[in-house]
Amino acid sequence: MLASAFVLLLPWCSAAAQAQAARPPAPEASKLVATASPEDYAAVRKVLDRYIEAGRQGKSELMRPAFLPQATIHGLAADGSIGGSPIRSLFDYIDSAPAAKQLQAQIVSIEIVGTIAQARVESDQWNGARYSDLFQLLKVGGEWKILSKIYHTH
């Protein structure tokens, strides 16, 4: 009986969500949403492009400037194990693995609020693997830098 009630509510919830999404935000709500400049979006994209190109060429020196020294990498590997370490482990991997010349990568989203940003990159054929990466970035001294990377191996 509970399941049938849930099924009956689904169309109503969907319609209510669509109606809510269609309404413009209240004027005071727009004060809560920080806007970023086109230059900030371009700068974050450039940082992510540097990361991707370093993978294609197999050269960590191309991506090192994109990361803060205290950056970390964490993720769930294909075998289900959780890995985490300082970003140096990614640099070591890039330098020891062959260049991922067939790498296909796409920056799926970038969200910026003030001096913080998050971005998602989907990549395939990174030496035979497919990854979903989420990056957190900080704007330090006027430059965007990656603070953390978390990944999922498909």
Side-chain angles (χ1 to χ4, degrees):
M1 182 161 175
L2 182 59
S4 62
F6 180 71
V7 170
L8 290 173
L9 285 175
L10 278 177
W12 179 83
C13 292
S14 177
Q18 289 175 357
Q20 179 67 26
R23 275 188 241 143
E28 59 277 359
S30 64
K31 295 176 189 172
L32 299 176
V33 179
T35 57
S37 70
E39 293 81 14
D40 277 328
Y41 282 98
V44 168
R45 180 171 291 281
K46 186 176 179 180
V47 168
L48 298 171
D49 286 341
R50 178 182 291 266
Y51 163 80
I52 293 166
E53 189 57 30
R56 280 196 183 106
Q57 292 189 34
K59 296 179 181 177
S60 73
E61 71 263 15
L62 297 177
M63 76 168 56
R64 285 177 191 258
F67 288 86
L68 287 165
Q70 62 270 45
T72 59
I73 180 171
H74 291 84
L76 190 61
D79 67 0
S81 64
I82 297 175
S85 63
I87 203 63
R88 178 179 300 277
S89 65
L90 175 63
F91 302 152
D92 293 344
Y93 167 75
I94 295 296
D95 290 336
S96 66
K101 294 180 181 178
Q102 303 302 316
L103 175 62
Q104 298 172 6
Q106 180 178 358
I107 299 169
V108 176
S109 65
I110 298 172
E111 183 178 2
I112 300 172
V113 179
T115 59
I116 61 173
Q118 65 181 9
R120 180 174 152 213
V121 174
E122 292 291 330
S123 59
D124 197 9
Q125 297 303 317
W126 195 308
N127 293 329
R130 180 174 161 228
Y131 296 99
S132 293
D133 297 322
L134 297 176
F135 295 90
Q136 292 183 319
L137 300 92
L138 287 173
K139 190 174 187 180
V140 179
E143 290 186 57
W144 287 100
K145 300 281 186 171
I146 299 169
L147 176 63
S148 70
K149 171 189 167 169
I150 60 172
Y151 65 91
H152 171 75
T153 307
H154 294 270

